[in-house]
Amino acid sequence: MALDLSGKKYAQVSYEEKERLFNEVKADLRYEEYLYGCYECGICVAACPSARFYDFSPRKIAQAVAREDIDLVYTLMNDSIWDCSQCFSCDRCPRKNSPGGIITIMREVAVKNGLASAQAALEGYGRVVYKIMSTGTQVSPDMLQPSAFPDWGPHVKEISNNLDVWRRALPPETLHTTETGWQVDDKTLIELYLIWHMTGVMDMIKEVDEGLFMILQDVMEERLEEAGYDVSFE
Amino acid sequence: MIPSEALISKAKDRQFTRDPERAPTEDFHDILFDLEKEGEWEVQRVPEPYVEVETKYGRKKKIPLQHTWHHKSCGQCGHIPGYSTSIFWINRKLGFDYIDPTDQTSCTAWNYYASATSNAAAQAAVAMRNFAAAAETSYFPIIHCGTSFGHYKETRQQLIHSPELRRQVRDILKRLGKKFVIPEEIVHYSEWVHAVRDRIAEHQTRNMSMIRATVHPACHYHKLIAEDAVYDPEIYGAQRSAIITGTLKAIGVEVADYSTWFDCCGFGFRHILVSRDFSRSFATMRKIEVMKEEANPDVTVTHDTGCVTTLDQSQFAAQAHNRNVGVPVMSDSQIAALAMGAHPYKVLQLHWHSTDNKPFLQKVGIDTDKAWQEFEAAVEKLKSGEQQYLTWEDADA
């Protein structure tokens, strides 16, 4: 679908609100490292995989942010940034911009502020976010289910059917797990939960998926309490 | 009309002199040590013996040979476990000591890049917690995942330039009862494979000279903080990162070039999970088909979790459209272990891969039916309860 850059789509959102979000982007400590200006040379677009498949342009992102075009930045923050592949091929920019890096910040601001587009983009992510935040490893062998990967071929069913025994057929002792990528110590998990608590990540989750927040809160608070920490994510 | 002859002639006259002063960022080593002198953090030194290699602009980088703490990859361990197994197998064959830790989390960067449900402080704290866990053992961290490697280098850059972020992360680690310690180098496993490639060749038992391979360099290896990736004048004149290609050459594999080598694999972080039509299309149309058309390789070799997954798994659906696919995909650790005589299923665990790799294995001289029967016999012992796990000794039996 073509990207609507006319500004009409989000005309009902006040300029002040758009400016507030843009100022959050600019306030990020990484912003100064990621944006220097734009020659409009298009090298970033030429290298960008997403530009080949979507109406997406890292150049537009860099230009809009550099020109501080508040309305355009708001549109892109809603309707474009989630197409980025985060491969950082755009980092070959001769002015040392990192459109991919700017997009990282824009995505975080979209999530922190619970933008509807961020919620929509992250639909279907609950299980994955739950996995990484609660177990410390993002991809687990038991995710290899034929229903989840119908386009990956019949071997997925074979792996799923043999999962337990094929994991035990791995020589490294840490890899006999099925619910996590490798064996993670309880103490390590507790430390991870404390990091999520102390850095406000749980607040971000709450903005985009309240149900997931509640599940994670239950898991983490119980484990932290058992470990002797009095921590509430509320 | 473009005067192509004149342009090519001009290009031949050009000289590219690698100069550390031309690197886009200052030499982080000096800053790490200056901050250590100021009491900001400790720097974990690369243990001896190490190999010194050169990075993109000619800076030196130390690659430890052993006494390594293996920061595993969630994707490798979860979906393509023979990747990690091969790294450990090579270490054991070379007689190197290492730790395969359980006090390690994922870098959490896949989630960070895909969903943005994290932030700079959280990511830096996760990185430094893992580094502190490594330092507690006195073993030096070696990073298996390309994304973890790139992301940790970004994190190092942010910590160097932001006293506020350092303060925030130092306070978090203090609460966890951990030291604020950063490694002298952030080392990717394929840099280690590159550093030991001649030793791998010395231990080679299988002839690979009949194999033609293509190389896919991982984006997060050579595009994120590009000045810290390994380059070598003998590999493409130091115009591309040297790892993988250098290893393949050392074991006698012919490396064939193709025009879309710089393109990403199509993984996309969020795309591989929820927009796989994009990943499939990019992987097959921009990478695999171009390789087939221009180089017709027996195998394509890469060095990152997402790349092996995307390039390998995407080929199945493309067959339904009669696309020109069918190139087995594996990591440099897997093909290096294979050259050293590793079992294709007990060590390389190639049954977790999707694209048919039997023609490639047979070309290397492996009886694939026999090898599979050997694996099945080992599995049968686990099923019957005769033994609980496959051991390293079983893997070599």
Side-chain angles (χ1 to χ4, degrees):
Chain A
M1 197 195 307
L3 189 60
D4 178 2
L5 300 177
S6 68
K8 290 176 188 164
K9 189 173 175 186
Y10 296 106
Q12 81 286 3
V13 179
S14 71
Y15 186 83
E16 289 71 26
E17 173 62 3
K18 293 172 183 173
E19 191 173 38
R20 183 185 70 77
L21 294 172
F22 183 58
N23 285 337
E24 267 194 44
V25 173
K26 284 174 69 179
D28 190 282
L29 68 93
R30 295 160 290 181
Y31 186 81
E32 293 287 318
E33 290 277 328
Y34 290 158
L35 185 72
Y36 298 93
C38 178
Y39 290 138
E40 306 190 15
C41 67
I43 282 177
C44 58
V45 186
C48 174
S50 295
R52 293 183 184 277
F53 281 81
Y54 301 106
D55 187 354
F56 174 81
S57 166
R59 180 179 62 83
K60 274 187 196 142
I61 306 267
Q63 282 181 347
V65 176
R67 288 204 310 265
E68 306 208 346
D69 185 335
I70 305 289
D71 285 313
L72 184 54
V73 168
Y74 186 83
T75 299
L76 295 168
M77 191 186 287
N78 278 278
D79 295 342
S80 189
I81 55 173
W82 296 98
D83 288 338
C84 168
S85 296
Q86 293 280 283
C87 65
F88 296 91
S89 299
C90 52
D91 273 6
R92 65 190 321 186
C93 168
R95 291 209 62 180
K96 310 299 178 198
N97 292 318
S98 177
I102 298 164
I103 288 167
T104 307
I105 302 173
M106 290 168 76
R107 284 180 172 185
E108 281 179 33
V109 171
V111 166
K112 267 195 285 192
N113 287 276
L115 295 189
S117 55
Q119 291 173 349
L122 299 183
E123 271 179 9
Y125 263 79
R127 189 172 173 224
V128 177
V129 176
Y130 172 79
K131 183 65 88 173
I132 184 69
M133 292 191 67
S134 65
T135 75
T137 72
Q138 174 134 8
V139 178
S140 59
D142 64 358
M143 283 176 166
L144 279 170
Q145 300 289 335
S147 57
F149 298 97
D151 55 335
W152 279 10
H155 84 298
V156 177
K157 189 175 181 186
E158 201 180 357
I159 290 170
S160 179
N161 289 343
N162 289 287
L163 192 63
D164 173 62
V165 72
W166 280 8
R167 291 298 288 186
R168 288 192 286 125
L170 294 169
E173 291 175 3
T174 58
L175 300 188
H176 298 145
T177 51
T178 55
E179 294 178 358
T180 52
W182 62 85
Q183 184 190 336
V184 183
D185 294 342
D186 281 353
K187 168 184 155 292
T188 310
L189 274 187
I190 295 297
E191 290 172 358
L192 184 70
Y193 294 170
L194 286 169
I195 289 172
W196 299 141
H197 172 64
M198 288 184 273
T199 52
V201 171
M202 291 293 282
D203 298 333
M204 297 175 73
I205 301 288
K206 198 174 182 181
E207 287 294 336
V208 283
D209 192 336
E210 183 133 18
L212 174 63
F213 168 79
M214 289 169 73
I215 295 169
L216 280 167
Q217 184 186 30
D218 279 352
V219 170
M220 290 181 187
E221 285 185 351
E222 191 178 331
R223 296 291 295 277
L224 286 165
E225 194 179 333
E226 284 169 7
Y229 290 95
D230 181 20
V231 170
S232 169
F233 286 98
E234 286 292 357
Chain B
M1 187 176 171
I2 297 171
S4 53
E5 287 300 318
L7 287 173
I8 292 165
S9 171
K10 183 73 181 166
K12 281 180 184 165
D13 295 339
R14 284 193 201 132
Q15 294 283 328
F16 175 68
T17 306
R18 294 200 292 166
D19 178 2
E21 296 301 317
R22 289 184 58 210
T25 54
E26 63 283 77
D27 191 342
F28 66 87
H29 297 96
D30 300 338
I31 304 173
L32 292 191
F33 293 127
D34 286 347
L35 288 169
E36 184 181 46
K37 281 180 198 156
E38 292 166 19
E40 286 277 331
W41 54 24
E42 285 183 33
V43 179
Q44 184 182 9
R45 267 63 175 178
V46 174
E48 293 192 22
Y50 56 78
V51 170
E52 210 164 51
V53 293
E54 286 192 357
T55 54
K56 187 168 185 175
Y57 293 89
R59 283 183 188 148
K60 307 286 187 198
K61 182 169 187 176
K62 296 173 185 169
I63 310 296
L65 292 183
Q66 50 180 326
H67 219 56
T68 47
W69 188 91
H70 285 254
H71 181 293
K72 295 180 288 289
S73 151
C74 47
Q76 285 169 26
C77 295
H79 283 182
I80 34 178
Y83 200 132
S84 323
T85 302
S86 296
I87 298 171
F88 295 134
W89 188 87
I90 297 171
N91 268 277
R92 299 174 77 90
K93 283 291 161 189
L94 296 182
F96 291 170
D97 73 329
Y98 66 89
I99 289 180
D100 173 10
T102 52
D103 186 10
Q104 183 223 321
T105 67
S106 156
C107 64
T108 71
W110 183 346
N111 175 53
Y112 169 69
Y113 290 124
S115 73
T117 50
S118 191
N119 57 47
Q123 293 302 113
V126 168
M128 296 303 277
R129 198 217 67 82
N130 279 327
F131 290 151
E136 283 166 11
T137 67
S138 86
Y139 280 60
F140 196 83
I142 185 165
I143 314 297
H144 285 197
C145 180
T147 286
S148 304
F149 171 77
H151 177 61
Y152 282 166
K153 290 196 298 183
E154 280 195 318
T155 297
R156 176 178 64 198
Q157 196 73 0
Q158 289 159 17
L159 284 166
I160 282 172
H161 288 283
S162 172
E164 173 55 24
L165 185 63
R166 284 201 302 276
R167 184 200 60 73
Q168 201 175 351
V169 176
R170 188 168 43 237
D171 288 351
I172 290 169
L173 290 181
K174 194 173 177 184
R175 180 149 187 219
L176 302 182
K178 290 207 163 325
K179 276 186 186 175
F180 195 44
V181 54
I182 192 161
E184 182 183 357
E185 305 279 6
I186 293 175
V187 178
H188 188 254
Y189 88 83
S190 61
E191 295 178 332
W192 175 84
V193 172
H194 181 77
V196 299
R197 65 194 187 282
D198 292 337
R199 294 177 196 230
I200 288 169
E202 283 167 17
H203 286 74
Q204 190 164 352
T205 60
R206 288 191 175 112
N207 180 11
M208 309 290 277
S209 63
M210 75 300 288
I211 297 300
R212 173 185 290 190
T214 45
V215 169
H216 168 68
C219 294
H220 285 194
Y221 176 73
H222 72 123
K223 295 173 188 170
L224 279 170
I225 317 290
E227 56 273 30
D228 192 48
V230 173
Y231 285 67
D232 183 334
E234 291 186 9
I235 309 293
Y236 292 116
Q239 300 294 313
R240 301 185 198 172
S241 59
I243 54 176
I244 317 179
T245 303
T247 301
L248 292 176
K249 286 189 167 184
I251 59 174
V253 171
E254 179 197 352
V255 181
D257 202 5
Y258 64 106
S259 55
T260 56
W261 69 272
F262 187 84
D263 272 354
C264 102
C265 64
F267 182 71
F269 295 89
R270 71 180 300 272
H271 300 80
I272 193 72
L273 294 167
V274 293
S275 296
R276 283 210 300 284
D277 48 350
F278 166 86
S279 294
R280 279 198 310 270
S281 303
F282 203 88
T284 54
M285 295 164 72
R286 288 287 297 180
K287 300 296 292 195
I288 299 295
E289 285 193 319
V290 177
M291 290 175 195
K292 284 274 279 189
E293 180 85 12
E294 299 178 4
N296 196 26
D298 300 297
V299 63
T300 189
V301 185
T302 182
H303 59 157
D304 180 58
T305 315
C307 312
V308 172
T309 303
T310 310
L311 294 173
D312 180 34
Q313 307 284 5
S314 298
Q315 294 184 54
F316 175 77
Q319 294 173 87
H321 301 282
N322 295 318
R323 306 297 310 199
N324 185 19
V325 293
V327 180
V329 186
M330 59 189 71
S331 69
D332 51 354
S333 63
Q334 286 173 303
I335 199 165
L338 193 72
M340 291 169 70
H343 197 283
Y345 303 112
K346 294 181 192 174
V347 177
L348 272 66
Q349 298 278 329
L350 288 173
H351 45 290
W352 295 76
H353 294 228
S354 171
T355 309
D356 184 13
N357 44 51
K358 288 189 177 67
F360 159 72
L361 293 173
Q362 286 159 4
K363 203 166 176 181
V364 178
I366 292 169
D367 181 337
T368 49
D369 289 338
K370 182 168 169 281
W372 182 248
Q373 283 166 14
E374 289 163 354
F375 177 74
E376 290 268 67
V379 165
E380 203 47 54
K381 286 185 183 176
L382 306 180
K383 281 181 180 169
S384 69
E386 188 179 332
Q387 66 184 90
Q388 197 174 358
Y389 303 114
L390 193 77
T391 65
W392 286 112
E393 290 70 33
D394 297 327
D396 285 336

